[in-house]
Amino acid sequence: LIIENPWNTSRSTFLQCNFIAPTIIDRDRSKRGDEYVKPTAYWFVNCENTIGYSFQQDKEIKIVYKEHDDHKIETGQCSEVRSMIHPDYARNFICDFIIGKPQRHTLATLFQL
């Protein structure tokens, strides 16, 4: 089981307060191909994660708290657009942390992401 949940250091979420510590905290999803600089935590339950470093920054970077849908967002609700994970990020995440497959299309980096 792999659980994904937004990560916030300024306020606690249900998983932060009532669950084990996350296995991985990706503090900047844009480095792996997402459009947003958005911290996200992942919990790997009954499985081990692999470690990979796909680096793909080929999109216009957006700040999640500045994006809005065409619809009015009520307090406490998240916009669907802000919640979406880009397919490039999903592929890079799966290859980096689930199947451990290096990506040929990503940029090389000397630093860990």
Side-chain angles (χ1 to χ4, degrees):
L1 172 67
I2 300 171
I3 301 170
E4 175 271 338
N5 198 53
W7 186 254
N8 191 330
T9 56
S10 64
R11 68 176 195 268
S12 296
T13 65
F14 177 81
L15 287 174
Q16 285 171 277
C17 293
N18 301 298
F19 207 63
I20 58 175
T23 310
I24 297 168
I25 300 174
D26 189 350
R27 299 194 186 282
D28 184 356
R29 291 188 341 199
S30 70
K31 292 181 180 178
R32 280 196 170 84
D34 201 48
E35 297 173 323
Y36 293 102
V37 175
K38 180 180 178 182
T40 305
Y42 299 90
W43 287 261
F44 284 68
V45 180
N46 291 330
C47 60
E48 294 290 323
N49 64 293
T50 60
I51 302 293
Y53 299 105
S54 297
F55 183 71
Q56 180 181 347
Q57 282 188 306
D58 59 350
K59 295 165 191 60
E60 178 184 342
I61 304 304
K62 301 174 185 176
I63 306 299
V64 71
Y65 297 109
K66 294 182 180 180
E67 290 295 313
H68 299 284
D69 279 344
D70 293 336
H71 309 290
K72 185 174 180 170
I73 302 169
E74 295 180 23
T75 305
Q77 291 183 338
C78 186
S79 117
E80 181 181 347
V81 173
R82 294 183 344 175
S83 297
M84 300 299 285
I85 292 177
H86 196 278
D88 288 345
Y89 177 82
R91 181 192 61 247
N92 290 328
F93 180 87
I94 290 168
C95 289
D96 286 352
F97 297 112
I98 299 174
I99 61 175
K101 178 182 174 187
Q103 299 290 303
R104 285 185 284 197
H105 68 278
T106 59
L107 302 173
T109 180
L110 296 174
F111 307 100
Q112 293 181 352
L113 298 176

